[in-house]
Amino acid sequence: MSNSLTLPAADTRVRPEDSPLEPVGRALGVPALGEAPWGSHFCVFFASPEDLLEILVPHFRAGLENNELCGLSALGQLDLDSVLETFAREIDGFERRMAAGQMNVLNYPPPRADSGLPDCPKILNGIMNRVRDARDQGYTGYRGVGIASWLERSDWPPYMTYEADLTRAVSGERGLVTCGYLLPKCDASQLVDVLMTHQFALLRHDQWTLIEPSERKRATEAVVRMNVALAERTAELQSALADLNGFSRWVTHDLRAPITSITSVTELLAQAANARLDDDEQVMLERIRSSAGWMEDLIGKVEAYSRAQHAQLRLQRLDLRGLVAQVWPAVAGADPSRRMGVRVDDLPAAYGDRGLVSQVLEALLRNAFTATAHRPDPLVHVGATSTDEGGVAYFVRDNGVGFDMAHCDAIFDAFTRLRSVGESAGAGLGLAMVKEIVGRHGGRVWAHSEPGTGATFFFTLPPPHP
């Protein structure tokens, strides 16, 4: 084996209060509505197409600006060309977002079953697939609006069952779902049916009126309280961050000068007195050199860790296989005498900051390089696998010393090293930096290992935008 990189080729009616709102606010873009948490299912009663557009424009503007996947379907009273023209005029970047697939506007009647009634399971499936699409494509969530003005009286019972099922299905998901009903077409009993199957409603008669049950009011009040607490906590964190940044600057600047001085004086001493030093004195001199080098390396890692926390993300489509090929020579160069096998599978493209994701790969590869130091047949394998949620997890696997899973959470903490890999002179910042960078991208990191059998480190990144 060589040091060079080898690249191988529901149908039970459910009341809204059975799916309670969580007090986490999302801006709905409409002053009368304020905020709502993910998992909200509400309705709008409108009297004219102009009324509906008055709600749809700010609602979708807020969703697109918040990096949500958005969809408008079954336009009914609305003319498709007029809707697209209005959105393009009122929402910055609308046409670009449409072209990128972030926004869909579809003008077709909902599917019907053989009985002629609405195919409600198919409609529900389509909405929940969009919620999953938003997660898989790296959006913050899904914001969808369906216009139900096409409903006939015979459609009403199954559709109300569907509405109740949708309230239950979207609860706990990253979705905001709105249904639009033409007010002049609804009688009193139908109004009550709709209100019973949604968490809250907005009604247009002479003016917009919010119909808000007690559950919604409690959630709104909780949002206000949480926002106040969040502001206070943010101020505390900003103060702590300023202290941490000051400490980092002190470590990387004020400590570097004396370490450089120690290194220089040691080299001068070695040159001037090397011949007169006995074996013990040579050992002590080498310890000074080694310790100074270790401190210099630590300062560099603290500096890199700080940059990983605060550097602005420059997101782009990433070829992870290509990045591995770029960073591996620097990893292997730490000990050119090592002969280590490397296998890199074809890796799905990801979306992230090229420099920071390169640091993730380099840190994980260095970890594998160190862990296999005493193996006669060292091997590292970089690949990808599916997650339980249907996404992609990348992994770096080695056949090194491994570790006890009882300490799995601790290995991603800064300045933590496990005894089983204590041969390394590392500072315990590499895996902490991996966790920090992956977290900033909205991903997660975890590991699996057994002592003596190697370890596998997994991480996720957003998929490339369409």
Side-chain angles (χ1 to χ4, degrees):
M1 288 185 288
S2 165
N3 243 3
S4 62
L5 181 63
T6 303
L7 299 175
D11 61 6
T12 301
R13 283 179 67 96
V14 178
R15 298 173 299 167
E17 54 266 35
D18 295 326
S19 300
L21 294 165
E22 297 178 2
V24 180
R26 301 291 298 176
L28 298 180
V30 182
L33 288 172
E35 294 183 333
W38 286 124
S40 293
H41 177 212
F42 62 99
C43 60
V44 174
F45 292 100
F46 62 97
S48 69
E50 293 74 22
D51 289 343
L52 187 55
L53 279 174
E54 187 179 326
I55 295 298
L56 294 180
V57 168
H59 185 57
F60 281 121
R61 181 191 296 125
L64 293 170
E65 290 175 352
N66 289 334
N67 192 38
E68 297 170 14
L69 185 64
C70 297
L72 171 62
S73 62
L75 300 184
Q77 301 290 312
L78 298 175
D79 175 71
L80 177 61
D81 291 337
S82 296
V83 169
L84 294 176
E85 180 182 339
T86 302
F87 282 179
R89 184 177 65 250
E90 301 291 338
I91 301 175
D92 289 343
F94 173 75
E95 292 172 329
R96 171 176 53 81
R97 295 176 188 273
M98 279 277 290
Q102 186 184 357
M103 176 82 195
N104 286 313
V105 180
L106 305 173
N107 187 22
Y108 62 85
R112 292 184 175 270
D114 293 340
S115 62
L117 296 173
D119 193 342
C120 294
K122 188 172 183 178
I123 299 172
L124 180 60
N125 238 9
I127 292 174
M128 299 314 295
N129 282 338
R130 294 296 279 165
V131 172
R132 286 185 283 271
D133 288 344
R135 178 193 62 209
D136 295 342
Q137 295 173 19
Y139 293 104
T140 55
Y142 174 67
R143 180 177 300 225
V145 177
I147 311 303
S149 56
W150 52 270
L151 283 173
E152 302 297 335
R153 181 163 291 275
S154 59
D155 299 333
W156 205 262
Y159 199 75
M160 287 302 101
T161 298
Y162 150 77
E163 290 280 47
D165 289 343
L166 179 56
T167 295
R168 178 177 59 191
V170 78
S171 178
E173 299 284 348
R174 283 184 167 265
L176 295 171
V177 183
T178 311
C179 300
Y181 287 86
L182 186 60
L183 185 60
K185 198 174 179 180
C186 298
D187 60 26
S189 64
Q190 291 171 333
L191 280 172
V192 172
D193 282 343
V194 175
L195 292 173
M196 288 292 291
T197 54
H198 293 77
Q199 291 160 329
F200 56 97
L202 192 63
L203 184 147
R204 178 64 178 241
H205 189 49
D206 294 327
Q207 61 183 5
W208 287 112
T209 302
L210 179 64
I211 303 174
E212 187 177 38
S214 58
E215 173 64 27
R216 156 80 174 173
K217 290 180 180 178
R218 285 194 298 272
T220 303
E221 292 168 357
V223 167
V224 173
R225 290 194 300 271
M226 288 183 67
N227 286 342
V228 171
L230 179 61
E232 295 173 350
R233 182 60 177 155
T234 299
E236 294 174 359
L237 290 175
Q238 287 174 339
S239 176
L241 183 59
D243 291 341
L244 181 60
N245 287 340
F247 175 74
S248 178
R249 285 192 297 271
W250 174 75
V251 167
T252 58
H253 182 269
D254 290 6
L255 283 187
R256 180 164 275 140
I259 294 301
T260 302
S261 177
I262 291 171
T263 302
S264 300
V265 171
T266 303
E267 289 302 320
L268 290 173
L269 178 61
Q271 294 172 16
N274 190 52
R276 301 193 300 271
L277 299 178
D278 61 28
D279 290 346
D280 289 341
E281 291 167 338
Q282 290 279 8
V283 169
M284 286 188 286
L285 185 62
E286 185 54 39
R287 284 180 180 173
I288 295 173
R289 284 172 168 168
S290 177
S291 296
W294 186 86
M295 280 295 295
E296 183 69 30
D297 183 60
L298 174 59
I299 290 169
K301 288 177 178 176
V302 169
E303 196 170 25
Y305 182 59
S306 180
R307 284 197 304 268
Q309 289 179 308
H310 309 302
Q312 182 179 357
L313 296 180
R314 294 177 173 83
L315 303 178
Q316 60 181 293
R317 185 183 180 91
L318 299 177
D319 171 14
L320 267 68
R321 194 165 185 258
L323 290 182
V324 172
Q326 290 178 18
V327 302
W328 175 250
V331 175
D335 185 357
S337 65
R338 291 273 306 277
R339 299 178 64 83
M340 184 167 185
V342 180
R343 172 186 167 190
V344 183
D345 298 339
D346 289 329
L347 301 174
Y351 191 66
D353 184 288
R354 182 183 182 86
L356 292 178
V357 173
S358 293
Q359 289 185 51
V360 167
L361 292 170
E362 183 173 348
L364 292 177
L365 288 169
R366 286 190 186 279
N367 185 74
F369 193 79
T370 300
T372 57
H374 300 294
R375 292 282 301 191
D377 55 346
L379 177 65
V380 61
H381 175 197
V382 183
T385 186
S386 299
T387 65
D388 292 340
E389 298 81 14
V392 174
Y394 305 94
F395 65 81
V396 177
R397 177 176 296 134
D398 64 70
N399 62 346
V401 293
F403 59 86
D404 189 334
M405 286 295 289
H407 306 296
C408 188
D409 291 338
I411 63 174
F412 295 104
D413 294 339
F415 304 108
T416 297
R417 289 182 292 158
L418 298 183
R419 294 182 183 275
S420 58
V421 291
E423 300 93 337
S424 167
L429 278 173
L431 294 179
M433 186 168 64
V434 168
K435 181 180 179 181
E436 180 70 29
I437 292 173
V438 171
R440 290 194 62 199
H441 282 78
R444 58 192 181 97
V445 60
W446 68 101
H448 181 76
S449 178
E450 291 182 12
T453 64
T456 305
F457 289 85
F458 301 87
F459 65 94
T460 63
L461 292 171
H465 285 187

